[in-house]
Amino acid sequence: MVIDFAPYVKLKTNCEACVNLLSEINSSILYNNSIIQSKIDNPYGCCEKKIKSINSLWIQFNSALELLEYERIEYNKNVTATQPIINELNEINGHIASYDIKDDYNEYLESIKHESKEREEFTEIKAEFEKVSQDLNELEAKQRNVKIALSIINHNLSYIFFSSERFRIEYKNNNYVLLSNGKSVCPSQISQGERNIIGLCYFFASILQNQEENIAYTKDYLLVIDDPISSFDIENRTGIMSFLRYQLGKFLLGNIDTRAIIMTHDLLTFYDSEKIFDELTDGCKSKYNINFIYKQYELKNKTLIRFSYKSRQEYTELLKIVYNFASGDVTHYNLIIGNIMRQVLEAFSTFQYKKGIDKISTDRGILDLLPDVYQTYFENLMYRLILNNGSHKLDQTKSMYDMNFFAVISESEKQRTAKEILCFIYLLNKKHLLCHLDGCRDVEQNLTQWCYEIKCNAGA
């Protein structure tokens, strides 16, 4: 039997007793084993030696081992009780270490204060730097956007006017500069129609703001364009309508869900728009393989109804509208009859005499074609119409005067003016007017009556 007594060496008394008893037990076991082996070797011989009993030794050994274990437990208790001493020693060592590093620690604290102050200053400087950088980036972005926007607007202007020099906008010294044929001009020096064109170009450029052009067109939009051609834009009609066709094509073909609405009081613009939508619906059908439709409406008596004059001659329709209004149908076109009457006069004077309506009141060659009794009357009538020549009159806009002369006169006065304009055309070219009013009721009878009433008023 082998037992390791190394952990008990400090417990000398009981440890030695256990070691001696264990040695004696092991010796007895060896002695007994030798007797047994000799008997095994000589089973027929006589064995004179006696086996030693180890029971008493074993009892003594267990008792000694119990005492040794008890002594070990007591010894370890005393060892555990030294922990307070260890704690005190550690505290002393801590104080010693504190004195050793006191100066270094104080210097460390001062460094922390200094570091904190420096960090605050750094944070402030960093925040200021980031703000300045952000402002700079925003300014650079705005400058880029200005350049991009001006590039788009100038491209659109050259598209409409068929010239890159007719109108340009440049950005100099934080100001926009408008150039007409290379010379700087003020907005007040250009016509209202030209301002409208610039506004139209800006409208389409603003949609592309902060977007890639190719991506912007792929988004869905609802485009609403009100009266793209005013009475001042007649000479640029082709360019404007071509530009609208180009831009609407970009948007409507770019996204299947994009929609567009064009509003106008001008029938020619309506027919031009109709051609544009005819082409674009065909283009959309080819691209998306879907049948697209567009609808036309007109405003009558404050109600939108389907437009019923498709494929008819505009000038003829305008004359018929004026005639029906003069005949008593004043509900449908009461709001816009003034514009329609001016368009009729403009078309008649241009086609017949290659002159605008502003020349009719002063051109004696035209007025002399009228019977003498009518000349003074119609000269005054034409001047009155020209003096209030349209809903977009520039001088009225500047003075904030009423935008529409015909909106402030009574219904009966509008009706009388419609009769007078028709009589004016009738007296100058009877055949012309009758042909265009073909299909209307009692045309010649009514015109004769209206001319007679004017003759009576002129004679009075």
Side-chain angles (χ1 to χ4, degrees):
M1 178 183 295
V2 177
I3 295 177
D4 184 13
F5 289 101
Y8 304 97
V9 292
K10 292 184 179 182
L11 309 175
K12 295 181 178 179
T13 303
N14 290 312
C15 183
E16 289 177 359
C18 288
V19 170
N20 292 334
L21 285 170
L22 181 63
S23 176
E24 188 174 351
I25 290 172
N26 286 333
S27 297
S28 297
I29 291 172
L30 290 174
Y31 176 79
N32 292 336
N33 287 341
S34 64
I35 294 174
I36 293 170
Q37 185 63 43
S38 64
K39 185 61 178 177
I40 292 172
D41 294 339
N42 186 15
Y44 301 106
C46 179
C47 180
E48 296 178 354
K49 296 180 179 180
K50 294 183 179 180
I51 298 295
K52 292 182 178 181
S53 174
I54 61 174
N55 287 336
S56 61
L57 290 175
W58 181 252
I59 292 172
Q60 293 178 37
F61 175 74
N62 283 331
S63 296
L65 192 61
E66 288 178 0
L67 290 174
L68 181 64
E69 177 63 17
Y70 174 78
E71 187 178 358
R72 183 190 68 77
I73 292 173
E74 291 298 318
Y75 181 84
N76 286 339
K77 286 181 179 179
N78 293 331
V79 172
T80 303
T82 62
Q83 188 61 44
I85 299 174
I86 295 173
N87 292 340
E88 184 178 357
L89 290 175
N90 287 336
E91 184 178 356
I92 294 172
N93 289 333
H95 287 301
I96 294 172
S98 175
Y99 284 115
D100 287 341
I101 65 169
K102 182 178 181 180
D103 293 338
D104 293 337
Y105 179 70
N106 290 334
E107 185 177 348
Y108 168 73
L109 293 179
E110 289 297 322
S111 299
I112 290 178
K113 293 180 181 179
H114 182 70
E115 189 265 349
S116 177
K117 182 178 179 180
E118 293 292 330
R119 186 176 295 278
E120 289 178 0
E121 293 179 359
F122 172 76
T123 302
E124 292 176 0
I125 294 173
K126 182 180 179 182
E128 184 177 355
F129 171 77
E130 290 176 349
K131 184 178 184 304
V132 172
S133 298
Q134 182 179 357
D135 292 342
L136 179 61
N137 290 335
E138 290 177 357
L139 289 174
E140 290 177 347
K142 288 180 179 179
Q143 189 175 28
R144 286 194 299 271
N145 288 340
V146 166
K147 291 180 180 178
I148 293 172
L150 288 183
S151 174
I152 296 172
I153 291 174
N154 288 329
H155 172 75
N156 294 343
L157 288 173
S158 65
Y159 191 102
I160 292 175
F161 290 107
F162 304 103
S163 169
S164 60
E165 298 298 324
R166 179 65 181 86
F167 273 110
R168 283 186 60 78
I169 301 177
E170 294 184 357
Y171 190 73
K172 297 180 180 179
N173 301 322
N174 296 324
N175 288 304
Y176 293 96
V177 180
L178 178 61
L179 301 176
S180 177
N181 295 319
K183 296 181 180 180
S184 177
V185 295
C186 296
S188 60
Q189 294 175 307
I190 64 175
S191 71
Q192 184 66 30
E194 290 165 338
R195 293 186 208 175
N196 291 344
I197 291 174
I198 294 175
L200 188 64
C201 294
Y202 172 78
F203 167 72
F204 282 105
S206 64
I207 298 177
L208 305 180
Q209 186 176 6
N210 298 326
Q211 299 184 82
E212 292 290 338
E213 184 174 357
N214 292 336
I215 298 176
Y217 290 125
T218 62
K219 298 180 180 180
D220 58 303
Y221 298 90
L222 172 60
L223 304 176
V224 181
I225 302 172
D226 182 22
D227 210 9
I229 298 180
S230 69
S231 57
F232 293 92
D233 298 325
I234 300 301
E235 62 176 318
N236 300 308
R237 176 189 293 274
T238 301
I240 295 173
M241 297 309 297
S242 177
F243 174 67
L244 282 177
R245 165 64 179 83
Y246 170 75
Q247 289 292 346
L248 290 176
K250 287 275 192 177
F251 286 99
L252 292 174
L253 293 175
N255 188 296
I256 192 173
D257 294 318
T258 292
R259 299 292 183 266
I261 299 174
I262 295 181
M263 297 180 288
T264 180
H265 64 270
D266 180 68
L267 279 177
L268 184 55
T269 301
F270 171 85
Y271 289 129
D272 288 339
S273 302
E274 184 181 44
K275 294 175 185 176
I276 289 175
F277 284 114
D278 270 336
E279 296 175 6
L280 291 178
T281 50
D282 290 340
C284 290
K285 180 179 180 180
S286 298
K287 182 174 182 178
Y288 299 110
N289 196 28
I290 297 176
N291 289 323
F292 286 83
I293 60 172
Y294 64 93
K295 297 180 180 180
Q296 310 103 312
Y297 295 91
E298 62 178 328
L299 184 63
K300 281 189 176 183
N301 197 23
K302 300 181 182 180
T303 303
L304 283 176
I305 63 173
R306 291 300 296 270
F307 190 77
S308 59
Y309 302 111
K310 186 175 181 180
S311 301
R312 295 187 182 181
Q313 208 274 340
E314 180 193 15
Y315 177 64
T316 299
E317 292 303 325
L318 291 178
L319 278 172
K320 289 182 177 180
I321 289 172
V322 175
Y323 176 78
N324 290 331
F325 187 87
S327 301
D329 184 8
V330 296
T331 56
H332 289 166
Y333 294 96
N334 190 35
L335 293 176
I336 62 172
I337 192 62
N339 284 323
I340 295 176
M341 286 190 284
R342 277 188 294 272
Q343 290 180 58
V344 165
L345 273 177
E346 184 76 43
F348 175 76
S349 60
T350 301
F351 296 148
Q352 292 293 316
Y353 306 110
K354 295 184 179 180
K355 296 181 183 293
I357 60 174
D358 58 327
K359 300 297 183 183
I360 294 179
S361 64
T362 58
D363 193 312
R364 296 307 312 177
I366 296 176
L367 293 175
D368 287 344
L369 297 175
L370 296 170
D372 293 341
V373 70
Y374 296 107
Q375 289 182 14
T376 302
Y377 186 88
F378 279 110
E379 183 178 4
N380 291 333
L381 171 66
M382 293 301 107
Y383 183 76
R384 178 163 57 91
L385 294 176
I386 295 162
L387 188 62
N388 302 277
N389 66 344
S391 59
H392 301 286
K393 182 169 173 57
L394 181 58
D395 292 335
Q396 293 172 341
T397 303
K398 288 181 179 178
S399 64
M400 298 305 293
Y401 186 66
D402 191 282
M403 295 297 182
N404 191 342
F405 165 70
F406 286 96
V408 297
I409 67 174
S410 67
E411 191 174 274
S412 61
E413 287 176 313
K414 293 178 187 178
Q415 192 173 6
R416 188 191 70 191
T417 304
K419 294 177 182 179
E420 291 169 344
I421 289 174
L422 291 173
C423 289
F424 179 74
I425 298 173
Y426 179 72
L427 292 169
L428 287 174
N429 194 330
K430 177 179 178 180
K431 183 67 174 176
H432 169 87
L433 185 60
L434 293 178
C435 287
H436 282 286
L437 294 181
D438 183 41
C440 295
R441 295 179 59 184
D442 304 324
V443 175
E444 195 160 4
Q445 179 182 343
N446 284 334
L447 288 170
T448 301
Q449 177 62 31
W450 296 340
C451 287
Y452 174 76
E453 292 173 358
I454 293 173
K455 185 177 180 180
C456 292
N457 289 334

